Amino acid sequence: MKIRPLNDRVLVVRVEKDQKTAGGIIIPDTAKEKPQEGKIIAAGPGKMGDDGKRTPLNVKNGDRVLFSKYAGTEIKVDGVEHIFMKEDDILGVLE
C-alpha cells in the first residue's frame, strides 16, 4: 500500500535502538520505552501559506529525525508501525 502525506505531514518509521545498556544489561521488551528516533518514509509537499504559495518542508525522504515523545498518530501499514506527524513535531535531523 502506498501512502502520500498531505501538506506539512510526514510518515515516519521508528528506528529500534540497542537492547543492551552500556554495562551489558539486556532490557526486556516490557521495560523499554518507544524510541524517539525514526526515518522519514514519505513527506508531503509543504504547508500552504496565506498568500497561496507552498512552503517546502525542511526534511526529506530518508532523513533520520528525532521527534517528541507523544508526537503524531500511530498507524499500521502492511504489518509495520508508522507514525503520521506534522513537521512541527520533529525536533531535529540527525546527520
Side-chain angles (χ1 to χ4, degrees):
M1 176 187 314
K2 286 185 112 177
I3 296 179
R4 182 176 46 98
L6 301 176
N7 297 325
D8 65 335
R9 301 220 188 306
V10 294
L11 185 63
V12 176
V13 65
R14 289 184 194 270
V15 176
E16 293 298 323
K17 293 193 174 191
D18 292 337
Q19 297 180 5
K20 285 187 189 179
T21 64
I25 298 171
I26 297 175
I27 302 169
D29 288 340
T30 56
K32 283 195 293 188
E33 288 188 13
K34 290 185 178 179
Q36 293 172 285
E37 184 179 327
K39 181 178 177 183
I40 295 181
I41 302 299
K47 194 171 190 174
M48 187 68 78
D50 293 334
D51 57 357
K53 294 182 181 177
R54 280 211 190 268
T55 305
L57 299 178
N58 292 320
V59 295
K60 61 187 179 308
N61 293 357
D63 282 352
R64 287 179 62 106
V65 294
L66 294 174
F67 48 87
S68 57
K69 193 170 198 167
Y70 301 107
T73 303
E74 293 183 1
I75 62 167
K76 254 190 183 175
V77 179
D78 297 330
V80 179
E81 274 195 25
H82 292 75
I83 306 169
F84 258 116
M85 65 178 72
K86 287 190 170 195
E87 184 186 30
D88 295 341
D89 293 333
I90 297 173
L91 304 175
V93 178
L94 297 172
E95 295 183 358

